[in-house]
Amino acid sequence: MRAVIQKAFGGPEVLEVVELDKPELRSGEVLVRVRASGVNPVDVAVRSGAFPLLGEPPYGVGWDISGVVEEAGPGARYEIGEEVFGMPFFPRAATGYAEYVATPSRQVARKPASLTHVEAAALPLAALTAWQGLVDRAGVREGDRVLIHRAAGGVGHLAVQIAKARGAYVIALASAAKHDFVRGLGADEVIDYRTTDFTEAVRDIDVVFDSVADGERSLSVLKPGGVLVSILEHPNQELAATVKAAGRRFAGVSVEPDYAALEAIAELVEAGKLRPTVAETLPLAEVSKAHEVVASGQTVGKVVLTVDPAR
Ligand SMILES: NC(=O)c1ccc[n+]([C@@H]2O[C@H](COP(=O)([O-])OP(=O)(O)OC[C@H]3O[C@@H](n4cnc5c(N)ncnc54)[C@H](OP(=O)(O)O)[C@@H]3O)[C@@H](O)[C@H]2O)c1
C-alpha cells in the first residue's frame, strides 16, 4: 500500500510517499480502506521536530481517517463494507496518510451518512479536541457564555458549532476577514482580536477555549467558578495553579481516541448542527503542499488529503 512516512525531522520535503506492507489485523480491529486523511497542525509540528511527540523518526505520518471497513477481526464492532471515521492511536503513530489503517474498532465510529469521506476526515482530531474540552471537561450547558479563540481554525470552527449546539452564547475571536464565516457558524458575537483587546470587550465568561496561549488574559474574563480549557501542547502547570488560586478551573486537554464522543459528534452532524469546512483538498502525492498550507496558520477550517483507490 502507499503510505506517507518521514525518516528525519525537517521541512515538507522530508515527507515521502512509499510502498509499505498492508497492516496485519488483530482481534477487535478493523482494516480500513482509507478514502481521505485529515491534516492537522500537530502533524506539521511532529514532522518538523517542533513537537517531537513520536520521538525520533522514522515513522508514518497522520491520524485522521475516513474510509471503508475491508476486513474485520474477531470481536470487532463493525462489519465489512461499513464506513467509519476516527483518529486511531493518537498520540502514538498511526500512519493515517495511507491506503490502509488497521485500528482497534473502538477508536473509530460510523461515518455520518450525510458527509463525504473528505468531510468526515476533516473531523476526528479537531472535533474530538473541541468535544473533549467543551463537553467532557468544561461541561458547557445551555446559557453558558463561551469565549473561543482562533474561531476560524480547524478546531475553533467546530468548537463554535459544538458550543452553540449545547445552547451556549458564543463569543468568537477571529481576524476581520473571517467574521462572516464565523458568524455563519452561529457565533453570537465576533471580535477582531487584532484590533480589539478582548479583555476590555468581554466579561463574565463561563468557559474560555484557549488555543493561543493567552491564559493569563483569558483568566481575567472568567467568572468565579469558570473554566479555562487549554488545548496547547504543553499545558502550563504554573498557569493551572494561578487559575485554581483565582477560584476558577483549569482543564488541559490532550485529545484521545474516543468512539463514544465520535458518535456524539456524528449525531450532531446528522442533526444539522455541525458541519466541517474543508478549505482545500489535495491528493496524497501532494502531501508536502498540504503541510505547507496548514503550516501557514491561516487555514479556514481544514485541509484534507484524498487517497484515490485508482491511484
Ligand atoms: N491539545 C490537543 O490535543 C490539541 C488538539 C488539536 C489542536 N491543538 C492545537 O491547537 C492549535 C489550533 O489548531 P487548529 O487545527 O485549530 O489550527 P489552525 O486550523 O491552523 O488555525 C488556523 C487559524 O488560526 C488563526 N490564527 C493564526 N495565528 C493566530 C494568532 N497569532 N492568534 C490567534 N489566532 C491565530 C487564523 O485565523 P485568524 O485570521 O482569525 O487569525 C486561522 O484561521 C494548534 O496549536 C494545535 O496544535 C491541540
Side-chain angles (χ1 to χ4, degrees), residues 19 23 73 76 100 111 114 123 136 156 158 178 231 241 244 257 293:
E19 285 289 335
Y100 290 92
K111 176 182 87 62
S114 61
L123 278 175
D136 284 358
L158 300 171
K178 294 169 184 167
I231 67 162
K244 205 171 162 192
V293 176

Side-chain angles (χ1 to χ4, degrees), residues 263-310:
E263 286 178 352
I265 287 161
E267 264 177 44
L268 285 187
V269 171
E270 297 298 30
K273 294 179 176 172
L274 181 66
R275 189 109 206 156
T277 294
V278 177
E280 196 161 345
T281 307
L282 291 156
L284 193 66
E286 291 185 41
V287 60
S288 298
K289 186 168 173 220
H291 268 224
E292 278 167 21
V293 176
V294 171
S296 75
Q298 283 309 310
T299 318
V300 173
K302 301 283 305 176
V303 174
V304 177
L305 296 165
T306 50
V307 186
D308 182 0

Side-chain angles (χ1 to χ4, degrees), residues 41 125 129 150 153-155 174-175 178 193 231 233 253 255 297-299:
L125 192 141
T129 304
R150 213 190 270 259
V155 178
S175 62
K178 294 169 184 167
Y193 68 92
I231 67 162
E233 281 80 2
V253 172
V255 68
Q298 283 309 310
T299 318

Side-chain angles (χ1 to χ4, degrees), residues 3-18 39-41 43-50 59 61 97 282-297 303 305:
V4 176
I5 62 162
Q6 65 177 105
K7 293 181 187 152
F9 292 129
E13 70 285 352
V14 301
L15 299 171
E16 294 177 49
V17 182
V18 297
V39 180
N40 290 288
D43 309 357
V44 172
V46 167
R47 185 211 71 219
S48 69
Y59 32 69
V61 185
Y97 302 171
L282 291 156
L284 193 66
E286 291 185 41
V287 60
S288 298
K289 186 168 173 220
H291 268 224
E292 278 167 21
V293 176
V294 171
S296 75
V303 174
L305 296 165

Side-chain angles (χ1 to χ4, degrees), residues 24-300:
E24 276 177 29
L25 205 58
R26 300 190 184 164
S27 293
E29 290 187 340
V30 287
L31 182 70
V32 179
R33 177 64 171 91
V34 178
R35 296 286 191 235
S37 302
V39 180
N40 290 288
V42 67
D43 309 357
V44 172
V46 167
R47 185 211 71 219
S48 69
F51 184 48
L53 185 67
L54 302 176
E56 286 287 323
Y59 32 69
V61 185
W63 281 277
D64 275 340
I65 58 166
S66 181
V68 183
V69 173
E70 192 160 297
E71 287 175 38
R77 299 181 83 232
Y78 309 107
E79 292 176 9
I80 291 169
E82 286 197 275
E83 297 184 317
V84 295
F85 74 128
M87 179 206 66
F89 300 112
F90 191 88
R92 297 181 186 275
T95 317
Y97 302 171
E99 288 179 311
Y100 290 92
V101 170
T103 166
S105 65
R106 282 176 180 267
Q107 298 194 7
V108 293
R110 290 187 181 85
K111 176 182 87 62
S114 61
L115 295 187
T116 62
H117 284 295
V118 165
E119 290 170 319
L123 278 175
L125 192 141
L128 283 171
T129 304
W131 183 273
Q132 289 170 2
L134 292 171
V135 182
D136 284 358
R137 302 295 301 283
V140 167
R141 294 181 298 195
E142 182 90 32
D144 277 354
R145 287 167 56 79
V146 177
L147 178 74
I148 296 174
H149 286 275
R150 213 190 270 259
V155 178
H157 88 292
L158 300 171
V160 169
Q161 297 176 72
I162 289 171
K164 282 306 295 176
R166 307 285 294 180
Y169 181 89
V170 173
I171 304 166
L173 302 181
S175 62
K178 294 169 184 167
H179 283 197
D180 285 348
F181 169 69
V182 176
R183 271 199 206 92
L185 302 170
D188 298 284
E189 283 179 44
V190 188
I191 295 171
D192 181 356
Y193 68 92
R194 294 188 186 174
T195 56
T196 303
D197 179 350
F198 76 88
T199 64
E200 288 173 9
V202 301
R203 50 199 280 205
D204 292 334
I205 298 295
D206 294 284
V207 178
V208 176
F209 189 82
D210 182 14
S211 55
V212 295
D214 211 356
E216 298 277 354
R217 282 160 34 82
S218 292
L219 171 60
S220 73
V221 302
L222 272 179
K223 269 184 190 164
V227 188
L228 176 57
V229 175
S230 171
I231 67 162
L232 300 166
E233 281 80 2
H234 304 286
N236 179 336
Q237 294 312 316
E238 226 170 90
L239 174 64
T242 309
V243 172
K244 205 171 162 192
R248 276 76 171 163
R249 193 150 64 81
F250 181 82
V253 172
S254 184
V255 68
E256 295 176 57
D258 182 347
Y259 83 91
L262 283 175
E263 286 178 352
I265 287 161
E267 264 177 44
L268 285 187
V269 171
E270 297 298 30
K273 294 179 176 172
L274 181 66
R275 189 109 206 156
T277 294
V278 177
E280 196 161 345
T281 307
L282 291 156
L284 193 66
E286 291 185 41
V287 60
S288 298
K289 186 168 173 220
H291 268 224
E292 278 167 21
V293 176
V294 171
S296 75
Q298 283 309 310
T299 318
V300 173

